Structures are given as structure tokens and as C-alpha cells.
Amino acid sequence: MVDNCSPDSVARSVREYEGVTRKRGIGELIECLRITDQPDVVASFGEDAAVIRQDDLALLLAADGIWSRLMEADPFWAGYCAVLVNVHDIAAMGGRPLAMVDVLSFTDGTLRNEVTRGMQAASEQFGVPIVGGHLHPDTPYSVIDLAIMGSMPIDDVIYSSTAGAGDRIVAAIDLEGRVHPSCLLNWDSATMRSAGEVRKQIGVMRELATRHLVTAAKDISNPGVIGTLGMLLETSKKGAEIELDAIPRPDLKAHGLTFEHWVRMYPGMGFIMTCHDEHTEEVCRLFEEAGMTARPIGWVNDSHSLSVSYEGTTTSVFNLESEGIMRIIDTTDLV
């Protein structure tokens, strides 16, 4: 049971969370960057990675940056996360991450050394090399951005825009972790795992892709588990209702967390996905074998609204048709 859980308070805390609200500029930006007449671009905006066709292969291309406030709080963790989030973008689509390049801007050498030490640690742990990039050695600010390339068979790609009404929603999170000491909204399990363990965890997504066991997926990112599901539903033009009590969570009291705090956290190693109901048990089993907790938490529907329920009370979190999170009006026109 979730103690003192109110669907209204959860919905409000997610809607107003900065990890969600800062996504609103994506749709406006896409209006300036529309892609036209590019037959090899299979998917682009709205997905965790762009999909570029190369014969029978899909080349996956993604990029991500780290909030400056995390750089200031813990440069090692910022460097580690810069690699982590990019690897997850490729893994969420079922791909194998191949290599990364970086763009680094620094105000001082000490911070640079800590950030790159974190990058190197994650690169070695996940087995994805950093092979080049660009350095700004004299900027008045410190920023780290990484881009990553992956690959996989074109027919096996898992998109976030292909969830269907009637699909089961599954959340998978590694709960064997801690609240990161430098960031109260980061759950850290990855640094506490061996290289073999984290590679097995992201490898589950490759098996799901190969066996076509899921219909859509995203890695759980800064908007948290509910916000990330909202982004998946927005690109799929669907809605959903989820049960709050079903969301995987650690012992919240032991970690000094409220439920509202937990569902806004970046979980370190976590994926949200949809699947046909007959595949739910197998999807959960594969994640459990890799040391993660996976649970069905709800159903996809045609409502264009994401709602949360607890003990018979249901509240809408997002009306994805009228407002959305990323506010991508029509993804079908973007490729």
C-alpha cells in the first residue's frame, strides 16, 4: 500500500514538476526543424533516438545534455549521467550502443577533470567508448553534451509512437539503489552494479526487440515514471489509466521519500513500455532475471488523457490532445 496517497496531489506534483514543464519547448523547436523528403529517415522527433535506414540495419542517433545545476552539485555524477542517459536512449529502442562523441565547455580544470572522470567510469562500465568530440576550454559556463550512435535490425526497432489501445503498460526499475547524495531527485542503482549487471539489464531491451515482445517503450528520464509515460502516450496519440499502487518503488520510508517524490525521480535504470497482455508475464520475467523490478501498472486506451487511480479515485494528469507535454502537434508530418 502507498501511505497517504492522493491521486490529486500526485497528478498536481507531476504536472508542475520542472522535469516535465521544461519539455514544453520541444514542440516549438520542432516547428523550426521539420524534416521533409528524406526517405532514409524512418523516425526522428518524439523518439528516444532517430532511426536512419541503412539497408537492413537501423542506425540509431541520439544526443543528450546535463542540467548545469547537476554539474555544479557533483561534476563526477554529471559526467557519469551524461553517458548513462545516452546509453539508455539507444537501449530503450532495443539497439546496441556503439560509440559516443562529446561537446565539453568548462570554466576551470578541476571541474573538467571530475566530469571526464565520471564519463570515463560510465563508458567503461557500459562498454561504450567515447571516440571524439569538441572542447571549448575558455567559456564562462560549464556544460556537457554527448551524442551516441547505435545499431540494430531495422525490423526490430522499438518505437515510442506505436502503443495501441488495449496494450498493457509495464514499468521496470532497478530498486536496489539509493537516493544519490548530490541530487535528491536522482535514484542511483547503476554505480552500485558491476559492468556485467548493468549490461545484462540494458540487454533485456535487446531481447524484447528481437522477440517483438513490446509494442512501444521509452527509458524513464527526468520527467519520472508518470511524466515519461505521458511522453510515450503523446507520441502514440493514446491515453492510459494507471494504478499508483502498482508502480515499482523501494521502501519509501527507509529512504525518507514520499510517493510524490518517488514518481518524479530519475530512476537511474528504468524503462516504461507497452505490450500485448499475453506477453506481460514474459516481459516482467526477463527484467526480474536481470535484477530489476517489473510490474504491470495499467492499460493504454483511446482517451488521449493520462489518468492515475488509487483506491477507487481517478484523476487526470495530462490532457495530451489539448496540451501535451512536449506539445508535438502531429508527429506524422515530421518525417
Side-chain angles (χ1 to χ4, degrees), residues 23-24 30 51 60 66 81 108 175 203 205 222 239 252 255 264 279 295 299 304 324 328:
K23 298 289 184 182
R24 293 173 182 166
I30 289 173
V51 180
L60 306 176
I66 298 299
C81 285
D108 68 79
L175 301 181
M205 293 303 301
N222 274 333
L252 298 180
H255 291 279
R264 290 179 295 162
H279 295 149
R295 299 285 185 271
W299 301 87
H304 297 281
I328 299 176

Side-chain angles (χ1 to χ4, degrees), residues 1 10 15 33 61 100 112 119 178 189 193 204-205 222 251 273 276 296 331:
M1 296 287 290
V10 170
R15 272 196 305 268
L33 297 172
L61 185 63
M100 297 170 286
R112 177 200 63 211
M119 292 166 59
R178 60 172 183 167
S189 63
R193 295 285 193 179
V204 172
M205 293 303 301
N222 274 333
D251 184 332
M273 65 215 85
H276 298 312
T331 56

Side-chain angles (χ1 to χ4, degrees), residues 178-197:
R178 60 172 183 167
V179 179
H180 195 277
S182 298
C183 184
L184 294 178
L185 285 165
N186 283 186
W187 178 257
D188 173 27
S189 63
T191 63
M192 305 167 72
R193 295 285 193 179
S194 68
E197 287 173 325

